[in-house]
Each structure stands twice: as structure tokens, then as C-alpha cells.
Amino acid sequence: MDFPSTFGFFLSIILVLLLAQADQSPFIYNFCGQNGNYTANSTYQTNLNSLLGSLSSPGNDNGYGFYSSSVGANSDKVNAFGLCRGDVKADDCESCVSQASDPLKKACPVQKEAIIWYDYCMLRYSNETLYGIVTTFPAVFLSNVQNVSSPEEFNRQLKLLWEGLITEAAAGGTDRKFAKGTNTTASLVKIYGFAQCTPDLSPEECTQCLDAALEQIPLFSYGKIGGNAVAPSCILRYEIRNFFYPTSEASAPSPQLETPASPSPPPPSGKKNNTSRNVIIAVTIIVSLVLISLAIWIYLRFWKRNRPPEEADEVMSAEALQFEFESIRVATHNFSEANTLGRGGFGAVYRGRLWNEEEIAVKRLSRDSAQGDVEFKNEVLLVAKLQHRNLVRLLGFCLERNERLLVYEFVPNASLDQFIFDPIKREQLDWDIRYKIIVGIARGLLYLHEDSRLRIIHRDLKASNILLDAEMNPKIADFGMARLFNIDQTQGETSRVVGTYGYMAPEYVMRGHFSVKSDVYSFGVLVLEIVSGQKNSSFCHEGNLEDLLGYAWNSWKQGTSSNLIDPMLRTGSRTEIVRCIRIGLLCVQQSISDRPTMAAVTQMLTSNSVDLPVPSQPAYFMYSHGIGSSSDMSLGFESYSGLTGSDQSKSHSAHKPIYS
Ligand SMILES: *[C@@H]1O[C@H](CO)[C@@H](O)[C@H](O)[C@H]1NC(C)=O
Ligand SMILES: *[C@@H]1O[C@H](CO)[C@@H](O)[C@H](O)[C@H]1NC(C)=O
Ligand SMILES: *[C@@H]1O[C@H](CO)[C@@H](O)[C@H](O)[C@H]1NC(C)=O
Ligand SMILES: *[C@@H]1O[C@H](CO)[C@@H](O)[C@H](O)[C@H]1NC(C)=O
Ligand SMILES: *[C@@H]1O[C@H](CO)[C@@H](O)[C@H](O)[C@H]1NC(C)=O
Ligand SMILES: *[C@@H]1O[C@H](CO)[C@@H](O)[C@H](O)[C@H]1NC(C)=O
Ligand SMILES: *[C@@H]1O[C@H](CO)[C@@H](O)[C@H](O)[C@H]1NC(C)=O
Ligand SMILES: *[C@@H]1O[C@H](CO)[C@@H](O)[C@H](O)[C@H]1NC(C)=O
């Protein structure tokens, strides 16, 4: 067991999520404990329900937004904490705490312990004692992705602000440990910040928790315009805009204690004695003892594989951000025609430049999603966590004025279709580049299918959804759209076919069945297109209009696969190219089980020693031919039955590839 080293770095192995302006996005994050489950209808469950039902009642409130209570005895005892941000008005505090319990129980239906953070409050329960215990794990770090203009100066000022706030919060007394303040940099940027601990901690423990959090801030939000560190025992946050709770004389919380040593006056509603509370037990424990017991405690409670795997390796892995509509409007010149990169099935895409010069691509979604704002936001946060060099990165979103925008990194070299289907530009893609593109797409898809925590089926993989960066590395665009549009991902069957004719696997077109193997099919079509430089739909060989897959299959059968190779490809190993054709054919097999997984494809591509199965006739003949001539027709949300109907021309006109 390596727990003694845990304390040193546990804070650094933490999720960094990003959620900017959290006041519009109340839910921050939650964790379910890993130290055990209770059984249905057990005493523990009954106690938990009764505890959560009563936690936010005035009796459990210390008058300063801190709720603490326990129900039950021995192994069925449940303890809970609710803590509001120190500047939040009492009414909002109470409703924040009481409204947090349902989502938390839903998120962690059987776990004995759980925690959820909102912008205004947090709620936490456990079978272990909470009172007087410093807990810095699990923690979530959030950072605004936008940079400040002079980070060094900004950081100096921020540091001064923190020093003051942490001291003030720690000295806040036994009722409230909260301090907020502002400081202004030499270039007149005003920084707003607050620091808070649960008031059950001693001043030393509070400082310890806040210092640990502060230590991490430069790691995840150095030079950023906002950052937020939330741990069970303490919270730090700063922004360059006023995110404080609006103050009004009448409703403000009771003033700061003048003399922390004297007992504070009870709030007007009358405070019961906290008979259920334990006495603070840790006050006199020396720091080293705290460190050791803390490390053990952390190890036992949360350490055991509590973190989602793909975020764990990189502190900065996932970021998302709520952008302000106004800044996007300015960045895209009011969504001007000149800034339009393209229009896809989900809405138009605009190029933009933020005030800090960062280039972005903004997708303005059509509002035909039935999804509510909260679900949408949650999905965005999940999708934003998917990060891979072969995926276009989602930087954030905007939900304002009935608009839904997704903000992506800008990828400079447009999309693959504009190269491989262009008689002139095609020549710039030699075999090395094409091979790199094929392997990159395979890796990106493999990540979506298997390596990310969410299994994402792309459903609309095609050349116009592959963007190329400055070094011609491929980046898959438009993944996660099914999630963002609330199209059922779990059923594996759908009445809404989302995809592009020519790339869609037959079982998906015909019956709405989709799976990772339908993406494999689309990948196969893409590989054959990249090798041949031909669009499936307009494939033309020696004057014969023939289907690309049919032609690829026939040449493979006759041992003349090299006829398929783009004549502009003058370099490159023929063996390697023919191997790719074979892999492409394997991916478009009619039988789903004959198609390899993306993991197998990646292996085949990167190791010549892997033997390839022999392909049989691909599924190309499954298509009916009456649908129209454009294989690039984006179906958007037309249902399959609408495919052959009069919607066709409409869909067709909207098919322009993204990023044209
Ligand atoms: C508790 O329940 C969760 C969700 O059902 C499960 O994943 C986990 O393995 C369970 N833990 C234990 C210790 O039984
Ligand atoms: C809390 O539950 C866990 C798992 O069931 C158990 O190991 C632990 O001893 C319990 N703690 C207390 C204080 O009962
Ligand atoms: C728990 O109680 C509910 C209602 O009394 C009952 O419907 C359910 O079947 C019980 N579950 C178990 C696992 O006993
Ligand atoms: C912020 O600065 C970093 C480092 O200079 C850079 O990599 C990043 O792209 C910038 N981010 C934004 C949003 O401008
Ligand atoms: C703001 O910065 C100044 C130094 O520039 C410092 O003296 C002051 O304490 C800071 N204010 C706060 C609230 O920390
Ligand atoms: C931006 O566009 C909206 C309509 O799309 C228009 O009402 C508004 O006046 C425009 N603003 C500017 C500054 O052009
Ligand atoms: C890709 O983009 C980079 C940077 O914009 C540019 O220098 C390069 O020429 C582009 N490559 C191609 C093949 O267009
Ligand atoms: C390729 O396009 C043709 C239309 O030209 C179509 O009939 C055929 O089914 C397509 N093949 C595939 C595999 O999509």
C-alpha cells in the first residue's frame, strides 16, 4: 500500500473540470464514495432518507449556512453536512441544501457516502464521522479556459488576495469560516475571490485545507481568468467578474463576528443546541498526526479507484466553459456570413476570434432538441472531457437567449473532403500523409469507442467530419452530437437515423440498429476513399460509373487492388496501400461480427505482423439506389421513413460540409 505518499500528491491527481460562470450552472460535480453500499430497505437507508429530509430544517442550521446532523446509531448511523457559500442569503441557502439531496441520492443510489457541490452549497453524507475532520479529497478543480493578458502580474496580485482571504477565513470563528474580497491589478483588472472552510475545522485545519487547494491553483488555472477548487472541507474561487451573491442590507447574512472568541449571537429564528454534534476532536492534534491520519483516512475512503480513468492522468485534462453570448457574438462578427465556415445537420458553424486572439469555431445549434438546459449542460461537460489529439476539442458552450452554441478549437486546414476529393489539392496528400490520417482517425475512433469513460458512437463519420490541423493531423469533428441532442445512445436502436448516406452501415440505414460496428463500417468507406481519392458516390473508373465498394471488392477478388489506388499517389509502399484496402474491405463487411473492432483495426494498421482475415463481399449491395445521387446528404434528424419522401431536397440543400 502506498498511502503514505498519497497526501503529497492526492490533490494533484484530481479532476480538472471546467465550469466557468457557475452561477448559471448550479451543479458543479459529485462523487459517490467507494467504501461500501447499503442494501435496499435497510435501516441505513431509512436513516439516510430521514436525515436528508430534515437536514435543511432550521434546527440543524448553525445560523451561518452550515447544517450538520446525524441519524441512527452504531453501524447504521448516517452523518451529513450541508454548507452554503458564505455570501449566500439564508433562504437560498436552505433551498440549495434541501434541493441537493434528490440529485445526490439519484447519482449515488446505494453508496454509503456521497458528496455534491453546487455553486451556492454543497451536501455530503457518510457513515463515517464528518465533524472536525479535514477532508481534501475528492476535490474538483475548475478553470476558465480564457487567458489573462499579463499572467505574471495577475498572479502576483491573486497571490496577495489569497493570502489575505485565507488568513481571514481561517480566523473566522466557529460559526463561519468565509472571506471574500477583491483586488485590482496594475492594469486595472479587478479580481474577485473567496475562501471558505467548513466551520467545524480549527483555524489550523482550515489553513491546511486551503493551502493545499491553493497549491494546486497555479497548476490548473495559471494565467486563467477564473478558477475554482472545491474539496469537501474547503473551497477557493476567483473570477475577474463579480460573481458574489448580490448584497442587500436586509437580507445579508449576519455580519462577521467582531470577536471570534466570544459566542456568536443566535440568529433570529432561534438556534437549537447542536446536541447531535460531536465535540471537535482534532483541534489539538499536531499537524503531522493530522497528515498521517488524513492520508490513511483518504486512502480508505476515496482513494480506491475513485477517479474516472481518463481524467486521472492529466491534471488539466478536461475543461469546459460557459461562454457569454455577447463575447461569441463579437468574436464571430455577429455571426456574419463572412465568418461562416459551413452548415451541417446540426446548425451553422462560424469562425471566430476571442478577445484574447484565440481562434474558435462556433456551432450554432438548431433548437430542435427536446433536451432541457441542465441535461444539455451536463452532456457538454461530459463531451468536453473527451480529449484526444485526434478529436476536435470542445472548449465550451453558451446557453443564453434561447441560443445553444458549442465552442470548438479552430482547426486550420479545413476538412479532409476538401483535399481528397479535389482534383488539384489531392496531389498534396502523399501516401505518408494519407497513412497518418487513416491511423489518426482510427485512434480517435478507438478512443471514442473504448478508451473514454463514455462509449461514444459517432454515427456520422465521413470525410467532411475529419478536420486537418496545421501538420495535417486528422481530428474527428461532431462526435457526441447524439448525446447533445438527446438521441438515445443506450438503446442501440432508433427511429431517427442520423448520418450520411454512403457512409452508413446497412443495418443502421435499414433498421436503425447502430453500434460501434456501424462506425467501423463508415471508417472502412473512408479508408477506401482516402486510398482511391474517389468519393463513393461519384466513383468513376474508366468511364464506368460504379460503386466504390463494389469496385474495390471486384478488384480485390481479381487480385488487381492496385487499380483502386489514386493515380496521384506516386510514392508509398504498394504493399502497405493494398493492406489498407484490405482493412477497408474488412470494415465494410455485411455481417457485423465479421467487421473488426477499432482496437483490432488500429493493430492491423500499426503492425505488419498482424495477419488479416480474408474479406468477403461487402455490404454495398444492400443499398437501394433510388435515394438520390449525393452520398454526402446529411440526414440530420429526418427519420428513416422520411428519407425517401419529399424532405430529400431540403436535406440535400443543407448538406454543405462543415468548415467549407
Ligand atoms: C456499490 O454499488 C455500485 C453501484 O451499484 C457498484 O458499482 C459497486 O461495485 C458496489 N460496491 C460494493 C463494495 O459493493
Ligand atoms: C462505514 O462503512 C464501511 C463499509 O461498509 C465500513 O467498513 C466502515 O467500518 C463503516 N464505518 C463506520 C464508522 O461504521
Ligand atoms: C423495499 O420496499 C419496497 C416498498 O416497501 C418494496 O416495493 C421493495 O420490493 C423492497 N425492496 C427490497 C429489496 O426488499
Ligand atoms: C492560453 O495560453 C496557453 C499558453 O500560452 C495556450 O496554450 C492556450 O491555447 C491559451 N488559451 C486560450 C483560450 O487562449
Ligand atoms: C490587494 O493588494 C495589495 C497590494 O497591492 C495588498 O496590500 C492588499 O492587502 C490586497 N487586498 C486584499 C483584499 O488582499
Ligand atoms: C446582429 O444581428 C442581429 C440579428 O441577427 C441584429 O438584430 C443586430 O442589430 C446585429 N448587431 C450588429 C451590431 O450588427
Ligand atoms: C495547413 O495549415 C498550415 C497553417 O495554416 C499551412 O501552413 C499549411 O500550408 C497547410 N497545409 C496545407 C496542405 O494546406
Ligand atoms: C456509393 O454510392 C452509390 C451511389 O452512387 C450508392 O449506390 C452506393 O450504395 C454507395 N455505396 C456505399 C457503400 O455507400
Side-chain angles (χ1 to χ4, degrees):
M1 288 210 256
D2 57 352
F3 64 80
S5 61
T6 302
F7 185 73
F9 71 100
F10 66 86
L11 264 170
S12 59
I13 311 182
I14 292 183
L15 291 188
V16 175
L17 246 212
L18 184 134
L19 170 125
Q21 323 190 339
D23 46 359
Q24 292 162 358
S25 178
F27 169 71
I28 297 183
Y29 212 76
N30 80 281
F31 283 95
C32 303
Q34 302 273 302
N35 80 338
N37 296 338
Y38 56 81
T39 44
N41 300 345
S42 61
T43 317
Y44 193 89
Q45 182 176 32
T46 317
N47 290 346
L48 177 62
N49 289 342
S50 104
L51 178 58
L52 292 180
S54 65
L55 182 69
S56 61
S57 63
N60 297 317
D61 172 15
N62 77 345
Y64 295 87
F66 178 57
Y67 298 81
S68 168
S69 181
S70 304
V71 168
N74 304 325
S75 65
D76 291 322
K77 183 168 176 179
V78 193
N79 310 289
F81 266 10
L83 177 70
C84 291
R85 204 170 89 184
D87 57 347
V88 171
K89 185 161 70 90
D91 293 353
D92 287 332
C93 173
E94 189 188 317
S95 70
C96 184
V97 171
S98 71
Q99 283 166 19
S101 61
D102 281 342
L104 185 53
K105 265 196 296 189
K106 223 168 123 194
C108 308
V110 294
Q111 284 83 359
K112 283 192 175 172
E113 60 186 11
I115 185 164
I116 190 165
W117 291 277
Y118 284 82
D119 187 27
Y120 285 163
C121 70
M122 68 149 206
L123 174 67
R124 177 179 169 210
Y125 56 79
S126 175
N127 70 329
E128 307 267 354
T129 303
L130 302 178
Y131 202 91
I133 310 277
V134 195
T135 315
T136 43
F137 192 83
V140 181
F141 294 123
L142 315 158
S143 139
N144 197 306
V145 294
Q146 298 194 39
N147 291 330
V148 298
S149 41
S150 41
E152 273 160 40
E153 183 213 340
F154 186 85
N155 244 46
R156 256 196 317 276
Q157 212 60 41
L158 186 58
K159 202 159 164 249
L160 286 174
L161 179 64
W162 286 137
E163 280 166 7
L165 293 180
I166 289 179
T167 312
E168 189 187 331
T174 51
D175 282 320
R176 181 166 57 179
K177 290 192 165 56
F178 172 80
K180 67 174 186 179
T182 63
N183 217 322
T184 307
T185 68
S187 48
L188 298 181
V189 177
K190 194 166 177 190
I191 312 172
Y192 297 81
F194 79 81
Q196 182 170 26
C197 294
T198 55
D200 57 315
L201 301 183
S202 70
E204 294 77 22
E205 289 164 333
C206 175
T207 309
Q208 176 200 335
C209 185
L210 288 172
D211 281 348
L214 183 60
E215 217 172 86
Q216 304 301 314
I217 282 199
L219 299 181
F220 71 91
S221 66
Y222 179 80
K224 304 295 180 193
I225 63 168
N228 192 356
V230 294
S233 286
C234 64
I235 298 174
L236 278 180
R237 178 168 173 199
Y238 76 95
E239 301 282 348
I240 59 165
R241 64 192 176 86
N242 187 352
F243 67 98
F244 295 150
Y245 195 87
T247 46
S248 84
E249 266 37 66
S251 59
S254 311
Q256 296 279 356
L257 303 175
E258 277 101 338
T259 47
S262 71
S264 60
S269 58
K271 176 172 86 168
K272 279 198 229 147
N273 281 334
N274 301 312
T275 48
S276 63
R277 290 189 186 173
N278 299 327
V279 177
I280 297 175
I281 54 168
V283 179
T284 56
I285 297 176
I286 59 171
V287 171
S288 59
L289 194 54
V290 171
L291 290 184
I292 292 164
S293 53
L294 181 60
I296 294 169
W297 187 82
I298 286 158
Y299 179 79
L300 294 177
R301 287 186 55 134
F302 286 111
W303 186 242
K304 301 168 200 168
R305 282 198 289 283
N306 193 26
R307 30 194 186 108
E310 84 272 22
E311 292 87 350
D313 302 322
E314 268 183 275
V315 171
M316 296 275 307
S317 73
E319 292 176 315
L321 171 68
Q322 185 152 2
F323 285 83
E324 276 169 16
F325 183 80
E326 204 45 34
S327 66
I328 303 295
R329 195 183 62 73
V330 171
T332 57
H333 295 125
N334 209 6
F335 301 99
S336 73
E337 201 51 46
N339 281 52
T340 309
L341 290 165
R343 269 171 227 284
F346 298 99
V349 182
Y350 301 87
R351 182 177 183 162
R353 190 184 283 274
L354 293 175
W355 58 274
N356 62 5
E357 301 290 295
E358 191 192 8
E359 290 216 273
I360 51 171
V362 179
K363 191 180 287 251
R364 193 178 197 179
L365 300 178
S366 44
R367 288 215 45 128
D368 51 4
S369 159
Q371 200 169 34
D373 287 355
V374 174
E375 288 88 352
F376 177 78
K377 228 176 278 188
N378 288 341
E379 289 301 336
V380 168
L381 287 176
L382 289 174
V383 173
K385 279 199 275 174
L386 298 172
Q387 291 195 19
H388 187 275
R389 57 198 298 263
N390 298 116
L391 298 182
V392 177
R393 198 163 134 195
L394 178 60
L395 300 175
F397 67 101
C398 168
L399 251 183
E400 250 176 75
R401 310 187 194 170
N402 219 29
E403 292 268 5
R404 285 181 179 198
L405 309 177
L406 293 174
V407 180
Y408 291 94
E409 68 171 321
F410 179 74
V411 184
N413 276 333
S415 53
L416 180 61
D417 60 323
Q418 292 176 51
F419 284 92
I420 52 167
F421 303 141
D422 184 296
I424 295 166
K425 282 177 155 182
R426 215 159 94 198
E427 206 164 359
Q428 297 171 21
L429 299 190
D430 62 20
W431 177 244
D432 285 347
I433 296 183
R434 292 194 203 194
Y435 191 68
K436 176 166 90 170
I437 292 172
I438 291 173
V439 173
I441 300 168
R443 293 210 167 112
L445 209 48
L446 173 63
Y447 174 80
L448 288 177
H449 286 179
E450 288 178 26
D451 295 339
S452 68
R453 192 158 50 115
L454 316 158
R455 164 173 283 211
I456 299 269
I457 298 169
H458 190 295
R459 299 220 243 169
D460 196 13
L461 192 69
K462 56 182 169 181
S464 59
N465 270 339
I466 306 298
L467 306 184
L468 299 168
D469 75 4
E471 281 89 44
M472 303 300 275
N473 292 307
K475 283 175 180 278
I476 300 174
D478 257 8
F479 55 89
M481 291 313 279
R483 290 190 77 99
L484 293 171
F485 270 79
N486 205 17
I487 298 165
D488 196 347
Q489 276 269 352
T490 55
Q491 282 294 302
E493 226 172 278
T494 177
S495 59
R496 292 173 148 194
V497 171
V498 185
T500 300
Y501 183 65
Y503 289 92
M504 289 185 295
E507 72 276 5
Y508 183 35
V509 180
M510 299 300 177
R511 296 188 296 278
H513 291 311
F514 64 87
S515 66
V516 290
K517 293 293 183 74
S518 23
D519 277 355
V520 171
Y521 183 96
S522 310
F523 175 78
V525 175
L526 202 44
V527 168
L528 295 172
E529 289 182 340
I530 293 172
V531 171
S532 65
Q534 298 274 349
K535 224 178 189 144
N536 167 54
S537 55
S538 53
F539 180 70
C540 185
H541 182 71
E542 290 169 357
N544 295 323
L545 195 61
E546 201 180 344
D547 169 25
L548 172 65
L549 297 197
Y551 183 72
W553 164 246
N554 287 328
S555 359
W556 192 82
K557 217 168 43 176
Q558 291 155 18
T560 55
S561 287
S562 48
N563 289 352
L564 186 75
I565 301 174
D566 184 352
M568 295 210 174
L569 271 182
R570 299 197 190 89
T571 60
S573 141
R574 298 283 122 169
T575 335
E576 199 173 60
I577 302 178
V578 170
R579 196 178 155 87
C580 277
I581 295 177
R582 186 160 163 187
I583 294 171
L585 283 171
L586 286 171
C587 292
V588 295
Q589 297 291 287
Q590 166 136 39
S591 154
I592 294 174
S593 57
D594 288 348
R595 294 178 210 155
T597 60
M598 285 318 295
V601 169
T602 314
Q603 268 196 329
M604 292 173 193
L605 284 170
T606 50
S607 159
N608 284 330
S609 58
V610 175
D611 285 335
L612 302 185
V614 177
S616 46
Q617 185 161 21
Y620 64 95
F621 58 85
M622 288 294 291
Y623 284 93
S624 77
H625 283 248
I627 292 180
S629 59
S630 172
S631 72
D632 218 11
M633 183 174 74
S634 205
L635 298 177
F637 291 98
E638 313 301 348
S639 67
Y640 179 56
S641 60
L643 252 184
T644 47
S646 58
D647 291 336
Q648 204 190 75
S649 53
K650 198 170 72 198
S651 309
H652 193 179
S653 66
H655 94 277
K656 244 202 330 183
I658 311 238
Y659 280 43
S660 38

